[in-house]
Amino acid sequence: MFFKRYKTLKFDPFDLDYEEFPKNELLLSDYIVKLLKAEDSADLNRDHNPLKSILVENTSFLEALKELKKENKSNIFVLKESGKKFLDVFSTQLLKKELYIIIGNQAEDFINSEAFLNLNFPELSLGTKSYLASQVIRLIKLNINLFL
């Protein structure tokens, strides 16, 4: 799907309403598409927004990452098969800041782009096997839970 401008969705887990949260991935993805098509967050009726924690910004993903890096309030990693072992790099110290783990797609065109590589984010690996996105998220959660 192509949009006139790039957008970034920001999720705030502290505002998440579990009662209104979509009950499956299809409903969630439908709502995210509506968010992306909206001109801005104000275009959506916040009272009917099951994902009240999501804000839409008219900025690219790369610009959002640059801003996060500049603020220096978070730990940002990129997940790549060639990265360092997750458990060798990860620690409870890393959880004291906001944590972002960037997951690429099969083509890895974005995470291998010159603009992204210039940000020099540390690379983590869950092994040399390729996983589906849902599996990657589950494996990350399991690994992080070892430090909680």
Side-chain angles (χ1 to χ4, degrees):
M1 186 175 294
F2 295 95
F3 301 102
K4 292 179 184 176
R5 296 184 300 263
Y6 288 102
K7 296 183 180 187
T8 299
L9 300 181
K10 288 189 175 181
F11 292 78
D12 185 349
F14 300 108
D15 289 339
L16 185 64
D17 183 348
Y18 291 96
E19 296 297 319
E20 293 186 35
F21 196 80
K23 303 302 181 214
N24 63 51
E25 291 175 2
L26 292 175
L27 292 172
L28 177 62
S29 62
D30 286 346
Y31 196 77
I32 289 174
V33 168
K34 288 178 189 174
L35 281 171
L36 290 170
K37 287 182 177 179
E39 284 300 313
D40 58 40
S41 299
D43 287 351
L44 298 168
N45 183 339
R46 299 288 284 173
D47 295 331
H48 295 96
N49 178 353
L51 303 175
K52 292 177 182 159
S53 62
I54 297 178
L55 298 174
V56 179
E57 291 188 355
N58 290 322
T59 185
S60 73
F61 185 51
L62 190 62
E63 290 168 352
L65 289 173
K66 286 178 182 177
E67 184 63 30
L68 284 171
K69 186 173 182 174
K70 188 170 91 175
E71 289 174 358
N72 198 29
K73 295 179 183 177
S74 56
N75 289 305
I76 304 171
F77 296 93
V78 60
L79 195 66
K80 292 183 95 171
E81 292 172 10
S82 61
K84 293 182 180 177
K85 288 182 181 179
F86 193 96
L87 294 177
D88 289 347
V89 174
F90 216 79
S91 69
T92 52
Q93 189 69 24
L94 294 177
L95 295 174
K96 292 183 178 182
K97 289 184 173 183
E98 292 178 359
L99 176 65
Y100 296 91
I101 300 176
I102 300 162
I103 303 169
N105 61 9
Q106 291 171 330
E108 293 189 348
D109 47 352
F110 176 75
I111 62 172
N112 286 327
S113 70
E114 184 178 346
F116 181 77
L117 291 172
N118 286 337
L119 293 173
N120 295 315
F121 292 126
E123 296 177 359
L124 295 177
S125 174
L126 294 171
T128 57
K129 184 177 178 182
S130 293
Y131 296 100
L132 298 172
S134 59
Q135 294 171 310
V136 168
I137 293 167
R138 181 73 178 139
L139 287 169
I140 290 171
K141 288 172 65 176
L142 288 170
N143 279 283
I144 290 174
N145 281 339
L146 295 173
F147 296 92
L148 297 177

